[in-house]
Amino acid sequence: ARRARPAASVAPPTLGTVISSLRGTVLACADGRLDLEVHGVGYAVSVTQQHAVGLRVGDEAFVHTAMIVREDDQSLYGFETREERAVFDLLRGVTGVGPKSAIGVLSALTPGQIAAAVVAEDDAAFRRVSGIGPKTAGRVLDSVCAAPEGCALLAEQPVPEAARAGWLAFAALVD
């Protein structure tokens, strides 16, 4: 039985991003940090562990980016796909989930696994991520399901067929 979803606020995807993607030469890549040189300028980009493993010094790399500007920090987060960046923006809009936690979720789970966890209401999948406790994991489930862009984005992800029918029916109700 699906539990009732409270109204939740999820920030819209980042629309005013100054740097939406980068293509350049990998200078270094370790521990989730990519140093990418683009036309003589080096950029430090936080990436998922899976993405970092596939990058080699000297190779050309392309990343979709989200630029986070705070009073005391400016950071770039990089993603292999636009879907990953969209899920990052969706997660970041959940109360209690900052950019480091959002990239942590994407390091632990693919967008498809995130969709399957939301469909199955499996907050344990999110609690396994460092920095996400039971309350925040519950907020992720509630907020992602309540947001129209969350339903649309996650409905596109591959999830087990048995769960997909219920998810699509729920997404149609939310629209």
Side-chain angles (χ1 to χ4, degrees), residues 95-134:
T95 302
V97 178
K100 289 181 183 175
S101 294
I103 201 85
V105 169
L106 283 165
S107 284
L109 304 166
T110 66
Q113 290 169 327
I114 292 168
V118 169
V119 168
E121 297 183 349
D122 178 16
D123 69 339
F126 298 103
R127 286 186 282 125
R128 287 190 287 270
V129 176
S130 177
I132 298 198

Side-chain angles (χ1 to χ4, degrees), residues 4 8 10 22 56 63 70 86 100 123 129 141 161:
V10 174
L22 293 170
R56 300 285 176 255
V63 291
R70 294 191 172 165
K100 289 181 183 175
D123 69 339
V129 176
L141 293 178
E161 198 56 45

Side-chain angles (χ1 to χ4, degrees), residues 27-146:
L27 298 176
C29 192
D31 300 323
R33 177 183 158 141
L34 164 66
D35 290 342
L36 192 66
E37 183 179 302
V38 180
H39 297 292
V41 178
Y43 293 89
V45 183
S46 296
V47 295
T48 64
Q49 293 297 330
Q50 296 86 341
H51 194 174
V53 168
L55 298 170
R56 300 285 176 255
V57 173
D59 285 352
E60 182 177 282
F62 177 85
V63 291
H64 298 278
T65 61
M67 184 174 180
I68 309 299
V69 178
R70 294 191 172 165
E71 189 174 303
D72 61 341
D73 183 44
Q74 293 183 31
S75 300
L76 279 172
Y77 293 84
F79 310 94
E80 288 185 85
T81 66
R82 287 180 190 209
E83 291 77 22
E84 284 181 349
R85 183 178 60 193
V87 171
F88 174 82
D89 287 335
L90 187 65
L91 290 169
R92 225 173 26 88
V94 176
T95 302
V97 178
K100 289 181 183 175
S101 294
I103 201 85
V105 169
L106 283 165
S107 284
L109 304 166
T110 66
Q113 290 169 327
I114 292 168
V118 169
V119 168
E121 297 183 349
D122 178 16
D123 69 339
F126 298 103
R127 286 186 282 125
R128 287 190 287 270
V129 176
S130 177
I132 298 198
K135 285 184 182 179
T136 303
R139 280 192 218 115
V140 169
L141 293 178
D142 294 340
S143 297
V144 169
C145 283

